Amino acid sequence: MGEFKVFSRVLTYATRRRFEVICITDDVEKVVAESGIRNGLVLVYVPHATAAVIVNEFEPRIAEDYISWLRKFFPPGAGWRHDEIDDNAHAHLASAMIGSSRVFPLIDGRIVRGTWQEILLVELDGPRSARRVIVEVLGV
Ligand code: ZN
């Protein structure tokens, strides 16, 4: 068994709309390959209060459904108190509920995920020029 290693990279994405779902699976897998680590854990973390990470299917219709669901459960401009400050309470609430990170098992060089589990960055208050995603790979 090799030496325990920690490897991290920051991925950066420009978003174009207020709500957007971006599939980042391939980029995360490239970081894992670059790390050379074969077994351990992969952390995917968004250091933003108005974005989130989900793990689920990605195709154009479900991407629209995610956004419809976000608008339904966290409607922008619905009288939230924080909107008095910068008009994005819906984005903070959705980020708080969905979460800013996900952790995956890494086994034999592969992130363990189901056929319909892609890694998705969710923009909740775009457009933004530089949304960061930190990918940290820990293991041997
Ligand atoms: Zn705010």
Side-chain angles (χ1 to χ4, degrees), residues 21 39 43-44 48 51 79 84 91-92 103 106 111 118 126 134 136:
V21 179
N39 290 282
L43 168 69
V44 178
H48 300 290
E84 294 166 19
H92 291 285
V103 178
L106 175 64
I111 292 173
E118 302 291 342
I134 296 168
E136 192 155 80

Side-chain angles (χ1 to χ4, degrees), residues 82 86 88 92:
H82 179 76
D86 63 357
N88 65 358
H92 291 285

